[in-house]
Amino acid sequence: MTQNPYLWLIPTLPLAGAAINGFLGRRSSKRAVTTIALAFSGLAFALALWIAVGFSSGAAPYIFNLAHWIRSGSFTVDFAFYLDQLSLVMLLVVTGVGFLIHIYSVGYMSEDPSYYRFFSYLNLFMFFMLTLVLANNYLMMFIGWEGVGLASYLLIGFWFTKDSAASAGKKAFIVNRIGDFGFLIALFLIIQHFGSLDFTKVFAQVQPIAPETAGAGFLTAIGLLLMVGACGKSAQIPLYVWLPDAMEGPTPVSALIHAATMVTAGVYMVSRSHVIFERAPMALTVVAVIGTLTAFFAATIGIAQTDIKKVLAYSTVSQLGYMFMACGVGAFSAGIFHLMTHAFFKGLLFLGAGSVIHAVGGEQDMRKMGGLRTYIPATFGTMLIATLAISGIPPFAGFWSKDEILWQAYQSNWVYWLIGLITAFITSFYMFRLLFMTFWGDYHGVQVDEHGHSSHSHDDHGHGEPHESPMVMLVPLMILAFLSFVGGLVGIGNHFQHFLDPVFGSGEAAHAGETAGRGVELLLMLVSVSLAALGAILAWVLYVSKPYLPQKIAAALNGFYTAVLNKYYVDEIYAALFVKPLIEGSTSILWQGVDRKVIDDAINDAADGARHVSDEVRHMQSGNLRSYAGWIAAGAACLIAYMIWRGVGQ
Amino acid sequence: MSVHLILFLVFGAVCVAGAVNLLAQTHPINSALSLITVMAALAGEYLLLGAEFVAAVQVIVYAGAIMVLFVFTIMLLNAGVEERTKGSRVAVVIGIPGMLVGSLLVAWVVLRHSGTEAVAAGALPGAPKTIGMLLFHDFLLPFEITSILILIAIMGAVVLASKPAAPSGTTGKVQG
Amino acid sequence: MVPLSYYLVLSGILFACGVTGFLIKRNIIAIFMSIELMLNGVNLSFVAFAAHWHALAGQVFVFFVMVVAAAEAAVGLAIIISVYRTRETLNVDQVNLLKL
């Protein structure tokens, strides 16, 4: 394995950039801030490339130990970095897509007064994400885990003067914390059973343990708790509610954090812990079920949304569900493959949406768009490529990875495959719906004059009629479009999976049935492609050729339509079930009861008691000579008695 | 029953009677005269113990100077019969029992430990010469300090008791 | 032959009378006189012990006590005179401004 002593620079360079921009950025020029931000993240990307180029695939991962951290008896944790094929893939995705989004943000955020703060936070996020990906042990990973949650909070609530943005940031952080709690308990269990948090040590100890097929043992517990953490971070049922709200943040944030990288941390973590999951079949089943259900559920919500970013948000939740489905059936490398391609096309979709929003002056409601393909052709072109990719149309990237997942799911249990198939149909439908509503038909939007405001101006950059974005925003779009086109080709002949084999071992079912099920695989491929095409055609019919139809259908399915439009009222249910009782309980029990009555009253009563005592005692100071004499006489008697008792008289 | 004992009891009785009378009288001048009798009787006690110098000093200084000072003050201030005011319940309720307890305790200790050794009459002759030797040799420092003390007392008394300044408006000149 | 304890008991009685006087009396001069009575009782104790232990220092101490008593009486009476001038009363219960 290539020894690379510069591995630790990859996370720390963005940290340096964040610090410099954070402390000095306010008084620096925009150009200086840009240079710092791009330089440090670009350097990190360059280093990652260099490592990738010199990467020789061996069996053992490379561990670089930077410094000691915890030395507590036999329990040790170090600041150490871990490089193997899996972390290399994640590294390239994070630094590559991250760098592209940095470039895009230069153009997108150019008129924002807090320009420097944005880049500081963005670099900070890169630092934490890279720590998470390159961590050698669960505790370092947890640092990165929490840190990306923090960065997400900071960036979602970037425009914190807006109530909805601040609340969305809080919601994201709190829901994440619930997942983190599960993760933390899993860590405790790991320490308890294996005495260490290092990947190598833990997995070496887990290897000889037989799979817990008989019942649920501690490995299942660890697996389930890790999955809780993953549900929080990667927005799966039941903790997905923060992701749609997170669209309050600037669009580059949505692209980077809530599409390409942060939300994939859960998938990465599950894949990294595959040794544990493979020996806990119940946990693995739970993972698959959650993933499948989430994929379907989120896709159905996406059909009815009218905000362009919300559609993409639910699409992200759905695609993450696919990744978990893959992990759940044991096809971890397929999940990582889809993670990679998803980063490309979802990042592209979000950046393109940002470009669209920029063009129409801050409007995000698709019903007020339309016909934009004449105004912003470059954006349209890239968005088309991305939509084809996500719908799974060959030869674009999404097809290869999604099909690999469906094939693996079919081999495990055809129910997964069926639901995944239907979800693919729905995905294709709503993505093309987005495309057609935005780029076809007539432009329904408002003509915005110079620096005017339209109703939804979250990202307000409008000037006159819809216009194309500057090159600094278009170039990343084009690069990502290229990657969405060719990115899937590494999956042909299972090259990608073979690359990841040293990580996941040959315990995958795929290799056994690789050549045997060739025919079935091709048949399934055909089925999914045709369904994707069907979805696209249906969207064409409903939104281009017969645009009056959607309203009629919505009226016909009124109850169901309203439910879907309101996201099945999940947020309201959570509010009623958890949030309200919690607030009520905190107010009446903890605040009024404990804080006021017990703690405050204890102190107040102590003070009052002191005052009453002194009120009584002060009567001794009566100003009357004779009473003083009386007290003296009594006191003297006491002293004499004490002295006699003590034996002075003896 | 030796003469010593009888004399002791006589003088002792006079002491106690005088002390009780001091408490019982309401006019301070009567109390003062009772105190003088107590001091005279005590001088007798001292003589029984052989402390001649002390007895003489008692009569001359204590009874002859200090009590005279008291009498002068009583007359100067025209002190009358004491009014019965309800001043302090504490003094009576807590003070008297406290005092009783204290005294009884001390008495108990004293009686337990002092046995029945007798003090002979005139056991230790306290001749002026010997006392003088002690005063000016062993106790020279306290002696000199007391002289300073007396000086300070004189100054204090003069300042405190002098009449206030001439009535031209300056207040607070002599305020107790 | 008089035992030492007799002298001490007499001294104690005088002292107790002095304390009682201090507690009971309302005229401030009478209270002062009670103090003198207490001092006298103590003097008797000193002399008795001096005779008992053949230590003449006890009598010297009585001498000092008397000196201090004299000084104290002088200053105390001067204070009483000033108090009388301002408060017009010799009743100690009426001189109670120093209360909380």
Side-chain angles (χ1 to χ4, degrees):
Chain A
M1 179 66 55
T2 43
Q3 311 288 343
N4 199 314
Y6 300 112
L7 196 55
W8 64 278
L9 277 177
I10 298 186
T12 43
L13 280 172
L15 179 64
I20 295 175
N21 267 339
F23 293 124
L24 303 174
R26 185 184 297 196
R27 283 182 223 95
S28 315
S29 70
K30 223 160 64 168
R31 179 177 294 225
V33 169
T34 314
T35 322
I36 297 275
L38 288 183
F40 282 101
S41 54
L43 260 177
F45 177 48
L47 263 177
L49 272 179
W50 181 40
I51 290 180
V53 163
F55 189 80
S56 65
S57 193
Y62 167 61
I63 298 175
F64 177 82
N65 197 315
L66 183 63
H68 294 324
W69 185 14
I70 299 179
R71 287 255 184 276
S72 164
S74 59
F75 177 63
T76 60
V77 171
D78 289 336
F79 290 120
F81 299 101
Y82 185 96
L83 184 69
D84 67 353
Q85 291 81 350
L86 175 60
S87 47
L88 184 67
V89 169
M90 294 293 299
L91 189 62
L92 286 172
V93 167
V94 171
T95 49
V97 177
F99 182 57
L100 284 175
I101 295 183
H102 272 79
I103 299 178
Y104 179 91
S105 309
V106 173
Y108 194 80
M109 302 296 289
S110 60
E111 280 160 44
D112 195 295
S114 295
Y115 187 77
Y116 77 96
R117 189 160 59 94
F118 183 78
F119 279 102
S120 174
Y121 288 162
L122 215 58
N123 270 0
L124 188 69
F125 165 78
M126 294 287 287
F127 161 66
F128 280 122
M129 189 70 204
L130 289 166
T131 307
L132 195 159
V133 163
L134 286 173
N136 173 49
N137 52 66
Y138 277 108
L139 198 54
M140 282 272 282
M141 185 194 263
F142 192 62
I143 294 178
W145 191 271
E146 295 278 345
V148 294
L150 171 71
S152 171
Y153 161 77
L154 289 171
L155 283 164
I156 293 174
F158 184 70
W159 291 306
F160 54 81
T161 46
K162 230 168 64 135
D163 267 347
S164 54
S167 305
K170 250 192 313 178
K171 184 173 178 178
F173 196 76
I174 292 177
V175 176
N176 255 226
R177 284 305 272 165
I178 301 175
D180 294 346
F181 182 61
F183 195 162
L184 205 53
I185 305 216
L187 290 188
F188 293 151
L189 281 176
I190 293 178
I191 298 179
Q192 185 193 35
H193 284 282
F194 303 114
S196 167
L197 286 176
D198 282 0
F199 291 147
T200 34
K201 290 202 193 114
V202 170
F203 297 152
Q205 291 183 52
V206 173
Q207 276 280 7
I209 301 181
E212 294 175 355
T213 40
F218 70 93
L219 279 179
T220 312
I222 293 177
L224 285 174
L225 286 165
L226 285 175
M227 187 57 197
V228 169
C231 283
K233 188 66 71 185
S234 299
Q236 298 296 292
I237 291 176
L239 297 171
Y240 69 93
V241 289
W242 63 272
L243 192 50
D245 281 35
M247 298 299 116
E248 291 279 345
T251 311
V253 170
S254 308
L256 180 61
I257 299 186
H258 306 124
T261 44
M262 185 185 100
V263 292
T264 56
V267 183
Y268 169 71
M269 185 261 282
V270 169
S271 305
R272 181 58 82 198
S273 316
H274 70 95
V275 181
I276 296 178
F277 279 100
E278 279 162 0
R279 282 158 187 70
M282 256 198 248
L284 215 51
T285 317
V286 168
V287 171
V289 167
I290 290 182
T292 318
L293 278 178
T294 310
F296 178 68
F297 183 75
T300 55
I301 300 183
I303 303 178
Q305 298 304 310
T306 51
D307 184 323
I308 190 172
K309 284 176 74 173
K310 287 265 173 30
V311 176
L312 294 175
Y314 284 106
S315 163
T316 306
V317 176
S318 179
Q319 297 300 308
L320 286 167
Y322 269 111
M323 295 179 220
F324 278 106
M325 189 206 303
C327 293
V329 299
F332 296 99
S333 51
I336 298 295
F337 187 26
H338 196 59
L339 190 157
M340 186 175 79
T341 57
H342 177 261
F344 298 148
F345 57 68
K346 190 48 69 66
L348 176 56
L349 278 170
F350 267 108
L351 294 186
S355 185
V356 168
I357 295 172
H358 174 101
V360 298
E363 180 57 64
Q364 290 186 201
D365 191 330
M366 291 190 291
R367 296 171 295 192
K368 299 202 178 71
M369 300 178 192
L372 287 177
R373 72 177 189 284
T374 41
Y375 295 107
I376 45 177
T379 309
F380 166 63
T382 50
M383 289 279 287
L384 178 62
I385 294 179
T387 312
L388 287 170
I390 191 175
S391 306
I393 313 267
F396 295 93
F399 161 71
W400 303 100
S401 55
K402 197 183 287 196
D403 241 65
E404 183 62 32
I405 294 179
L406 288 175
W407 167 236
Q408 298 293 343
Y410 178 80
Q411 292 190 303
S412 166
N413 189 333
W414 64 269
V415 178
Y416 295 141
W417 171 77
L418 187 61
I419 300 182
L421 197 63
I422 299 176
T423 311
F425 168 69
I426 301 179
T427 305
S428 172
F429 171 68
Y430 70 69
M431 284 312 302
F432 275 102
R433 164 180 179 260
L434 184 149
L435 198 70
F436 295 145
M437 275 179 87
T438 312
F439 292 105
W440 256 264
D442 304 314
Y443 181 52
H444 309 295
V446 242
Q447 294 291 353
V448 181
D449 41 60
E450 198 77 13
H451 298 301
H453 292 267
S454 50
S455 57
H456 273 286
S457 50
H458 305 275
D459 323 309
D460 172 44
H461 306 272
H463 318 278
E465 46 165 56
H467 62 289
E468 192 61 88
S469 311
M471 271 316 261
V472 75
M473 283 166 67
L474 285 180
V475 167
L477 287 180
M478 293 193 246
I479 298 180
L480 282 173
F482 174 69
L483 284 171
S484 304
F485 185 53
V486 306
L489 300 177
V490 294
I492 299 182
N494 287 331
H495 272 126
F496 190 76
Q497 287 84 312
H498 288 297
F499 178 67
L500 286 179
D501 260 347
V503 182
F504 296 122
S506 44
E508 298 186 24
H511 290 300
E514 205 173 307
T515 44
R518 235 348 177 202
V520 183
E521 194 180 348
L522 281 171
L523 182 63
L524 294 180
M525 248 191 250
L526 226 62
V527 173
S528 63
V529 172
S530 35
L531 268 182
L534 206 62
I537 295 173
L538 184 62
W540 175 274
V541 167
L542 285 181
Y543 291 98
V544 181
S545 48
K546 297 186 173 38
Y548 52 84
L549 265 186
Q551 239 131 338
K552 278 206 191 158
I553 300 180
L557 299 169
N558 193 20
F560 187 66
Y561 179 72
T562 356
V564 172
L565 185 60
N566 286 312
K567 316 160 273 159
Y568 299 112
Y569 302 107
V570 171
D571 278 324
E572 285 77 9
I573 295 175
Y574 279 176
L577 266 183
F578 300 112
V579 179
K580 203 157 178 300
L582 203 60
I583 293 181
E584 288 299 323
S586 294
T587 311
S588 49
I589 299 176
L590 290 178
W591 179 35
Q592 312 271 12
V594 174
D595 194 37
R596 272 212 188 139
K597 289 217 182 66
V598 175
I599 298 179
D600 281 356
D601 274 4
I603 297 177
N604 287 343
D605 284 348
D608 278 345
R611 189 153 23 98
H612 286 137
V613 168
S614 66
D615 255 352
E616 299 304 316
V617 172
R618 80 173 165 88
H619 290 300
M620 254 174 79
Q621 200 77 31
S622 60
N624 187 314
L625 188 68
R626 287 164 61 208
S627 69
Y628 295 164
W631 286 112
I632 293 176
C638 290
L639 273 175
I640 292 173
Y642 176 72
M643 279 165 52
I644 291 174
W645 178 55
R646 271 292 171 195
V648 171
Q650 247 52 298
Chain B
M1 205 50 144
S2 60
V3 177
H4 188 192
L5 183 61
I6 294 174
L7 280 175
F8 166 80
L9 287 174
V10 166
F11 283 127
V14 173
C15 276
V16 175
V20 173
N21 194 37
L22 184 149
L23 299 180
Q25 292 296 329
T26 46
H27 200 297
I29 194 69
N30 298 335
S31 304
L33 294 173
S34 309
L35 192 54
I36 294 176
T37 41
V38 171
M39 290 177 179
L42 272 182
E45 294 278 358
Y46 294 156
L47 280 174
L48 277 178
L49 285 168
E52 308 136 4
F53 179 69
V54 172
V57 169
Q58 168 95 347
V59 172
I60 295 171
V61 171
Y62 235 130
I66 296 176
M67 289 321 296
V68 167
L69 187 59
F70 267 98
V71 170
F72 274 171
T73 310
I74 292 172
M75 290 197 295
L76 182 66
L77 298 180
N78 212 5
V81 172
E82 184 175 270
E83 316 133 21
R84 286 193 74 77
T85 50
K86 270 227 177 189
S88 163
R89 254 179 315 154
V90 165
V92 175
V93 169
I94 300 182
I96 305 256
M99 177 274 300
L100 279 174
V101 165
S103 321
L104 287 172
L105 277 174
V106 171
W108 173 70
V109 169
V110 161
L111 286 172
R112 209 153 66 113
H113 293 289
S114 48
T116 48
E117 311 143 32
V119 180
L124 184 68
K129 180 167 173 201
T130 31
I131 290 192
M133 295 289 274
L134 264 183
L135 258 184
F136 288 101
H137 285 171
D138 300 336
F139 293 100
L140 183 60
L141 182 61
F143 181 76
E144 298 299 336
I145 292 178
T146 44
S147 66
I148 297 177
L149 177 70
I150 293 174
L151 176 65
I152 295 172
I154 292 172
M155 283 163 39
V158 166
V159 166
L160 283 171
S162 64
K163 272 219 162 55
S168 56
T170 49
T171 51
K173 176 152 194 257
V174 177
Q175 283 282 334
Chain C
M1 306 311 267
V2 182
L4 176 66
S5 51
Y6 283 32
Y7 282 103
L8 296 180
V9 168
L10 176 61
S11 157
I13 292 174
L14 286 177
F15 189 86
C17 286
V19 176
T20 313
F22 194 113
L23 290 170
I24 296 182
K25 291 267 166 205
R26 279 166 223 88
N27 190 317
I28 197 157
I29 302 183
I31 290 179
F32 251 87
M33 289 194 276
S34 311
I35 295 176
E36 297 297 333
L37 186 56
M38 283 193 255
L39 285 169
N40 275 291
V42 170
N43 279 351
L44 179 60
S45 246
F46 271 123
V47 176
F49 275 118
H52 181 71
W53 286 327
H54 297 273
L56 218 50
Q59 295 185 9
V60 174
F61 212 86
V62 170
F63 176 85
F64 285 123
V65 169
M66 282 190 206
V67 167
V68 172
E72 170 214 336
V75 176
L77 288 171
I79 292 177
I80 290 174
I81 291 177
S82 327
V83 168
Y84 184 75
R85 282 212 193 100
T86 47
R87 301 287 291 154
E88 301 287 323
T89 178
L90 282 175
N91 189 329
V92 87
D93 288 336
Q94 286 166 2
V95 185
N96 59 355
L97 287 180
L98 270 181
K99 62 179 161 201
L100 276 184

